[in-house]
Structures are given as C-alpha cells and as structure tokens.
Amino acid sequence: MKYFKYIALLLLVAVTMSSCDKKDVSYMVEPVDESAKAYVQVGYYAPVTAGAANYMYFIDLNGIEYGNAGATFLATFNTVPSGGTNRYYAVDAGTLNLKLHKRESDGNGGYNYPVVYDQNVTVEAGKRYVLYVHDLDKAPIPIEMSSAPEFGRALDTDSLCRVQFVNLLYEADGTPYTGLVQYGVQNLDTKEYEPVGEPIGFGEVTSWFPVKIRKTVYNSSGYQRREVCLFAVDNNGNVTGMLPYTKSNGSMGEFTDYWTWYIGRAYRQIAAGNCGSKSIRCTLYQFVIE
C-alpha cells in the first residue's frame, strides 16, 4: 500500500508543477509618463453638515468618472482615493477640470446625479497634490504632498513622530478664517501647550515638525497619547490665546484635542469646520502618511 501512496504523491506533484508552468502572471497596470502626469487626491472639506444630502456620489477628473456603483463615494471631510493615503489618480499635467456629483431622487424610485461642483485647477507634472474643495463655488486649493523628513531610528523609550498641519477653518459668518492659526502640543514635563511649526492662514500648510513620543509599553513599536491645541495668532504673528470655537452644546470653548501617535509615523492633520457653528464644529481630521 505504501508504494501506491508514493506513486499518488508523485503524480500530484507532477500535476501541480505542470499547472504552474502553464500559468502566466499578469498585473492590471499601465506605465505612467512622469514628465506628463501629475498625481491628485480630492478632499471634500466644505463647512457643511454630514449626511447623505451633502455626500458626493461621483467625481470627474478631465472627463474620467470615478464612483462606487451608485453608493456614497466621497463623504464630507474626507478624501479619495480611499483605502490608503498614498493612493492617487494620475492625471494630465496642466489645467485639470474637477466635477463633483450629488444624488437626488428622480421621483420614480430612482436617482439622478447632478453636477454640483465644476472648477479648474493647475497641477504640475511629477508632483502629488491633495485638491481641497472648501467651497462649492470656488476652485479647489492644491496643496502639494511633500515627503516627510527622514530621521534616525528609535532609541529605547524616547523618539519622534512627524506632523504637518493644514488650515481650512471658517469663521462664524461662513467666510474663511481671516487670522492665522498655530498648532500647539502640550509639553510632557510642564504640561503647558507650546507652539510648534509656523502660524498659517486659510488654505496653507505647515512644514513638517517633529513631536516627541515617550514609549510607555517597552515591548511595543512605541506610542503615546499627546494633548494638542490650536492657537489664534494676530497679523503681527503674536499668539493671542487658544482658538475660540463653539461646542456642540452651543457654549464657547478653547480648542484642544488629543491623538495617540506612534514613533516613526508621519501624520497630516486638517483643521476644518466653522468656528461659530455647533453643528459644523471646528474639528481636526487626521491621515497617516507614512
């Protein structure tokens, strides 16, 4: 019987090897000409309430449509392509036309997808952008996705992560925030909030700045909760205090938040919403870049 077992095993190996030899592995990709293409993500950060009435169901880049088979494709305060912060649409460099489609009932149990946004923006070859839509009547703000700086490896229990900050805040009257905003991080020892990075105006992005992380679990990759804030800055560059904003209960407060950050990671944070609205509150949104 053992001879039959060995013969069967040899036959199985032979069939398997034969089938492998006949399979061609192919990848559904196309080469991209770096000298003629730019790479874009589309961010939807207009100060509107969350919900299906304000979601986008298709986007259109120079006549090429992207969607999710009629399901929600681009929600408020979010970015596409989804599923990874380093995924982009390759587009022709130069003038790029961006359209956004909402969904509305056709009255017969179906839907129409009217164009509610139609704007142009210029993108350069070989560069990577997030096109931040902040107003459905204005062109998107193209912010280049610069690479996070490299630094040395973690040493035992104390090292760094990297953060970049984007300002898309609105005033109480529904206009873009007119002052400057400064990112702040709480000092681990004094517990005082300290400015980091540079103060920026509406539609601007800071350079990358390092934040210290004290690893609390020794046998781990290293992470820590860090308390952060936003400072209001006058036109002379002076910090006037923490940024005032309206809470969900309608009372006024000073903007603070917290995030758990990991050693070696790079994070982009976007401040968006309306500082004077309790339903479209000033909020920080975070994406892991690396």
Side-chain angles (χ1 to χ4, degrees):
M1 288 294 293
K2 67 179 181 179
Y3 294 111
F4 288 110
K5 180 175 68 174
Y6 293 144
I7 292 172
L9 179 61
L10 289 173
L11 288 173
L12 178 62
V13 171
V15 170
T16 303
M17 293 181 64
S18 176
S19 63
C20 290
D21 291 340
K22 295 180 180 179
K23 293 290 184 181
D24 293 325
V25 178
S26 61
Y27 300 92
M28 303 298 289
V29 297
E30 297 179 6
V32 173
D33 182 359
E34 293 274 346
S35 66
K37 296 288 187 179
Y39 305 90
V40 300
Q41 299 175 355
V42 178
Y44 178 30
Y45 289 85
V48 296
T49 56
N54 286 318
Y55 292 166
M56 300 299 169
Y57 287 78
F58 295 94
I59 72 169
D60 183 300
L61 297 170
N62 279 348
I64 299 177
E65 191 175 88
Y66 301 88
N68 187 24
T72 301
F73 186 64
L74 178 55
T76 50
F77 305 105
N78 222 310
T79 304
V80 290
S82 60
T85 54
N86 287 313
R87 300 174 64 193
Y88 295 85
Y89 300 112
V91 299
D92 291 334
T95 300
L96 172 65
N97 177 254
L98 168 63
K99 293 183 178 70
L100 303 180
H101 299 249
K102 280 189 179 180
R103 186 179 74 174
E104 62 181 24
S105 173
D106 64 4
N108 296 309
Y111 296 101
N112 294 319
Y113 299 91
V115 175
V116 295
Y117 185 80
D118 187 352
Q119 297 287 338
N120 293 330
V121 65
T122 300
V123 292
E124 296 182 25
K127 293 187 176 181
R128 287 166 166 76
Y129 300 89
V130 180
L131 307 180
Y132 286 109
V133 176
H134 65 96
D135 185 322
L136 295 182
D137 294 319
K138 295 181 180 179
I141 298 173
I143 292 183
E144 188 176 351
M145 292 287 284
S146 61
S147 298
E150 298 293 332
F151 47 60
R153 294 182 179 180
L155 297 176
D156 199 18
T157 59
D158 197 342
S159 196
L160 305 170
C161 72
R162 299 151 291 176
V163 182
Q164 190 179 51
F165 171 60
V166 179
N167 174 15
L168 295 176
L169 286 172
Y170 269 70
E171 301 269 17
D173 63 358
T175 61
Y177 191 78
T178 55
L180 301 178
V181 179
Q182 170 83 60
Y183 201 87
V185 179
Q186 190 182 69
N187 185 293
L188 290 172
D189 299 313
T190 67
K191 305 305 179 184
E192 296 291 327
Y193 286 97
E194 298 175 344
V196 292
E198 63 272 18
I200 56 174
F202 182 84
E204 295 180 341
V205 59
T206 67
S207 56
W208 289 96
F209 51 83
V211 176
K212 183 175 290 187
I213 304 296
R214 288 180 180 168
K215 186 166 69 171
T216 54
V217 179
Y218 185 83
N219 189 23
S220 73
S221 60
Y223 58 88
Q224 187 181 25
R225 168 173 160 164
R226 295 305 316 268
E227 310 289 332
V228 304
C229 76
L230 296 179
F231 289 111
V233 179
D234 63 23
N235 291 329
N236 295 319
N238 300 313
V239 173
T240 59
M242 288 189 184
L243 182 76
Y245 81 111
T246 302
K247 299 180 180 181
S248 58
N249 62 6
S251 65
M252 294 299 297
E254 296 179 327
F255 188 88
T256 60
D257 202 351
Y258 64 88
W259 296 88
T260 298
W261 287 332
Y262 285 75
I263 291 173
R265 290 285 180 88
Y267 303 94
R268 171 174 278 198
Q269 291 205 339
I270 303 103
N274 189 316
C275 293
S277 171
K278 67 178 183 180
S279 59
I280 315 171
R281 291 185 300 119
C282 169
T283 304
L284 279 175
Y285 300 91
Q286 176 172 282
F287 294 88
V288 181
I289 305 303
E290 295 179 2

